[in-house]
C-alpha cells in the first residue's frame, strides 16, 4: 500500500495540467500500474537507451510520468527523450522497433534510426531542466535514457506508469476489475475534471 506521503505527492502532481492531459488521454479509470523511485548519485554514468514498454496494436495505451522531487539541472543528468520513437508511424516501414543497447542484438534499422537522431539536429533527443514538482509525460514506448550526473548532487525522480483501463467489446464500458487497484480518478478531484472538460 502507498504511504500517505506518496499519495499526497501524487494528488499534488495530478492537480496540474499533467492530470488534465492524463484524464483526456486515458480517462478516470486508468490504472496506476507501477511507481518507482529513480536516483542517480554524483558520478553516475549514462543510462542505457530503453523504453518502458513495447508497442502493442491490441494492448492498452501506457503513459509514463516523470516527477522531479528536487530541482534538476543539466549537469545532474537530465533524461533525454527521443520523441519520434513512440509509435509505428515514426519508423521506416511503419513497424515500431525497440531501442538498440549493448545488452541485446538490436535490429539494424534501430541502430540506423539512433544514428539519425544523433546526427540530425531536427530530430535530436530533447531534455528539460525541471524544478521540484515539475513533471514530464511520455508514451511509455518512447526511447529515452538518463544522462551522466557530473554534479555533486543526487538526482531523484518518481516515475508513475498509467495504463488505460480495459474495456469490453460491447458498448465500450469499463470492466469491473475488482477492488484494490489504484486509479487516476482516485487522485484527481472532480472539480479538476469538470474544469478541464468545460474549458
Amino acid at each position: 500500500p502507498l504511504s500517505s506521503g506518496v499519495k499526497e505527492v501524487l494528488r499534488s502532481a495530478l492537480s496540474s495540467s499533467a492530470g488534465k492531459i492524463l484524464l483526456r488521454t486515458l480517462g478516470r479509470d486508468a490504472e496506476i500500474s507501477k511507481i518507482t523511485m529513480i536516483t542517480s548519485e554524483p558520478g553516475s554514468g549514462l543510462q542505457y537507451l530503453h523504453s518502458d514498454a513495447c508497442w502493442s496494436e491490441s494492448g492498452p495505451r501506457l503513459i509514463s510520468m516523470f516527477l522531479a522531487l528536487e530541482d534538476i539541472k543539466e549537469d545532474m543528468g537530465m533524461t533525454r527523450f527521443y520523441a519520434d520513437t513512440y509509435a509505428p508511424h515514426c519508423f521506416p516501414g511503419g513497424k515500431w522497433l525497440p531501442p538498440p543497447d549493448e545488452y541485446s542484438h538490436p535490429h539494424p534499422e534501430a541502430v540506423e534510426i539512433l544514428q539519425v537522431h544523433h546526427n540530425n539536429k531536427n530530430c535530436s533527443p530533447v531534455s528539460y531542466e525541471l524544478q521540484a514538482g515539475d513533471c514530464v509525460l511520455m508514451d511509455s514506448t518512447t526511447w529515452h535514457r538518463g544522462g551522466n550526473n557530473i554534479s555533486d548532487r543526487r538526482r531523484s525522480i518518481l516515475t508513475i506508469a498509467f495504463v488505460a483501463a480495459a474495456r469490453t467489446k460491447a458498448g465500450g464500458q469499463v470492466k469491473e476489475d475488482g477492488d484494490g487497484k489504484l486509479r487516476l480518478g482516485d487522485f484527481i478531484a472532480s472539480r479538476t475534471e469538470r474544469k478541464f472538460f468545460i474549458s
Side-chain angles (χ1 to χ4, degrees), residues 106-126:
H107 193 288
E109 286 185 11
V111 175
E112 182 178 343
I113 290 167
L114 181 61
Q115 291 171 344
V116 169
H117 275 81
H118 283 300
N119 297 330
N120 186 340
K121 65 180 181 180
N122 293 323
C123 60
S124 58
V126 295

Side-chain angles (χ1 to χ4, degrees), residues 84-193:
D84 292 328
T85 59
Y86 67 96
H89 72 261
C90 300
F91 295 81
K95 180 182 179 181
W96 185 86
L97 297 172
D101 65 68
E102 59 267 40
Y103 303 109
S104 64
H105 299 287
H107 193 288
E109 286 185 11
V111 175
E112 182 178 343
I113 290 167
L114 181 61
Q115 291 171 344
V116 169
H117 275 81
H118 283 300
N119 297 330
N120 186 340
K121 65 180 181 180
N122 293 323
C123 60
S124 58
V126 295
S127 55
Y128 308 96
E129 288 194 350
L130 303 174
Q131 295 182 341
D134 287 347
C135 59
V136 177
L137 297 174
M138 72 167 195
D139 273 287
S140 298
T141 50
T142 303
W143 297 6
H144 62 286
R145 70 197 318 174
N148 297 4
N149 187 350
I150 60 175
S151 74
D152 58 359
R153 292 154 293 165
R154 173 187 293 176
R155 183 184 80 237
S156 298
I157 294 177
L158 193 67
T159 65
I160 305 98
F162 298 89
V163 56
R167 296 180 180 273
T168 63
K169 292 182 180 179
Q173 298 298 312
V174 176
K175 290 180 179 178
E176 295 295 333
D177 292 319
D179 297 330
K181 293 188 177 181
L182 296 172
R183 300 186 186 278
L184 177 61
D186 297 336
F187 297 92
I188 297 181
S190 296
R191 64 180 181 274
T192 301
E193 185 179 14

